[in-house]
Amino acid sequence: MADGDFGRVRIEPAGQGAAEPGAEYLVAGTLAYKRASRILFVAGFSTFAALYCVQPLMPEFTREFGVTPAQSSLALSVSTGVLAFALLVAGAVSDRFGRKAIMALSLLASGTLGISGAMAPDWASLLLVRALEGMALSGLPAVAMAYVSEEVDPRSAGVAMGLYIGGTALGGMSGRALTALVADVASWRMAMGVIGTLGIAAALAVWFALPASRHFQRRPAGVRELAEAWRGHLMDRGLLALFAMGFLSMGAFVTVFNYIGFRLLAPPFDLRPAAVGAVFTVYLCGVVSSPLFGGLAVRLGRGRVLAVAAAMMAAGLALMTPDSLWTMTPGIALFTFAFFGVHTIASGWIGQRAPVNRGQASAIYLFCYYMGSTIAGTLGGVFWYAFGWAGVGGFVGLLLAVGLIVSLGLAIRR
């Protein structure tokens, strides 16, 4: 029966695996659900703002520390590289110690490290802080996904996951924009300090306002248990397909955004850098599309909507092919809109597909997601150098074609 005070639905004991007899789910429309969704949005925002805040600061790093532009990119790549591997451990740790505490600690540690990075005396110290920050940030993404899959009523989980993904999209964009603005009027050190302070504020919000876990079941986190959990997930064809979707969609997305700027700076577009930088505002599409696709997936079926979103990404890529801003602009917007839909559906489906060890299942998905960014983003440079945008478009098109086949297989398998 409904519990109006706490915004949860009481359920019968689920037998083995149930954390509390008669535990209650968070249900859409209730105060607790709204509070949880807002806090997860804030947590996602802060995490991705901290991760990507250094991207517009790279020219400042070259001036202050005397590093090359390629070396300055390490401020981001060391964080994402450490994050990808640390995610595999973070999921297991949260399966042992709980979701809420790990998320709050992650945000607190990353915020503190962000402030420390603002005071780094040299380049080596800054890179060390950024590596540690990537490790700290790993305690949020996979754990948040597991929390949603465990605590939110399955009929409402799609929208809740969409709001979290929307927060990450807005955080990724705002982290870049806010640091660029603060660095312009003050300094890059002040900019990093501001982002770090936001992280600490988000940690306090998670600790004091996020509803406590009611369905979490503590599990061993030893090496043997971890290996058994991974083996179980990797033998599930449905989970393998979802892991592949994370790799393929993120690989396609990052490749496009890595090289679209080079194309727009060159003839026949010849846009100014400020105009090219405005391209990142399309991340706002993710704020809208993430909860939208999450809700549609619940009503119409995850596999069917996932396949539609993958096809929409391909359509957006096709619109980017002609040398015309009249097709380029809507193409980038559609591509971005659909990408966040794919990510929302796939990431939300992970928790529903994995009956146990959900934190580790989410961690494997995010590992594949970031490996797609690293591997495909790098290979895209090879195609750009050899064939220009035609090469990049062909490479991304291949990734999306495979992704569409995988999504259709999921739709058929259900």
Side-chain angles (χ1 to χ4, degrees), residues 256-408:
V256 165
F257 276 88
N258 275 356
Y259 305 103
I260 193 69
F262 291 98
R263 185 185 181 195
L264 294 174
L265 287 168
F269 299 103
D270 292 315
L271 297 184
R272 295 179 60 83
V276 174
V279 168
F280 287 106
T281 60
V282 298
Y283 271 61
L284 291 172
C285 293
V287 180
V288 177
S289 69
S290 296
L292 175 62
F293 275 101
L296 288 174
V298 173
R299 293 195 299 272
L300 304 178
R302 295 184 182 92
R304 183 182 304 171
V305 180
L306 181 64
V308 170
M312 289 172 65
M313 284 187 72
L317 178 68
L319 287 173
M320 288 184 250
T321 301
D323 289 332
S324 169
L325 288 176
W326 293 105
T327 59
M328 176 77 70
T329 303
I332 295 173
L334 178 60
F335 183 83
T336 305
F337 183 88
F339 162 74
F340 281 104
V342 170
H343 181 37
T344 295
I345 297 166
S347 59
W349 203 345
I350 291 290
Q352 302 301 318
R353 179 83 189 187
V356 295
N357 298 309
R358 290 187 172 111
Q360 293 168 47
S362 298
I364 296 172
Y365 169 81
L366 289 171
F367 173 81
C368 295
Y369 180 82
Y370 286 110
M371 283 298 100
S373 171
T374 301
I375 296 172
T378 301
L379 284 176
V382 176
F383 285 94
W384 170 260
Y385 180 78
F387 307 106
W389 183 256
V392 171
F395 174 61
V396 173
L398 177 62
L399 293 176
L400 294 179
V402 176
L404 184 57
I405 293 171
V406 172
S407 65
L408 288 172

Side-chain angles (χ1 to χ4, degrees), residues 121-297:
D122 53 46
W123 181 239
S125 299
L126 179 60
L127 290 184
L128 175 61
V129 169
R130 288 292 296 173
L132 293 173
E133 196 167 359
M135 185 180 298
L137 289 170
S138 68
L140 196 287
V143 182
M145 289 167 57
Y147 176 91
V148 170
S149 66
E150 290 172 346
E151 304 303 324
V152 179
D153 175 52
R155 293 166 297 180
S156 309
V159 177
M161 184 65 73
L163 288 170
Y164 166 70
I165 299 299
T168 68
L170 187 60
M173 186 199 76
S174 300
R176 294 173 173 95
L178 182 59
T179 51
L181 177 62
V182 176
D184 188 44
V185 299
S187 69
W188 69 265
R189 294 182 183 276
M190 179 65 72
M192 289 189 65
V194 168
I195 297 297
T197 302
L198 290 177
I200 294 175
L204 295 174
V206 168
W207 183 254
F208 289 108
L210 186 69
S213 295
R214 300 291 296 273
H215 296 271
F216 169 73
Q217 183 179 27
R218 193 182 307 276
R219 296 183 181 278
V223 174
R224 186 178 67 179
E225 291 81 10
L226 187 62
E228 289 177 354
W230 288 354
R231 184 171 63 248
H233 293 325
L234 295 176
M235 290 178 65
D236 186 314
R237 292 185 178 180
L239 284 176
L240 284 176
L242 292 171
F243 298 154
M245 286 303 300
F247 180 96
L248 294 164
S249 62
M250 184 58 166
F253 183 72
V254 167
T255 300
V256 165
F257 276 88
N258 275 356
Y259 305 103
I260 193 69
F262 291 98
R263 185 185 181 195
L264 294 174
L265 287 168
F269 299 103
D270 292 315
L271 297 184
R272 295 179 60 83
V276 174
V279 168
F280 287 106
T281 60
V282 298
Y283 271 61
L284 291 172
C285 293
V287 180
V288 177
S289 69
S290 296
L292 175 62
F293 275 101
L296 288 174

Side-chain angles (χ1 to χ4, degrees), residues 99-109 139-140 199 202-204 206-207:
R99 313 300 187 200
K100 181 175 175 177
I102 295 298
M103 286 190 282
L105 182 61
S106 168
L107 290 165
L108 179 63
L140 196 287
L204 295 174
V206 168
W207 183 254

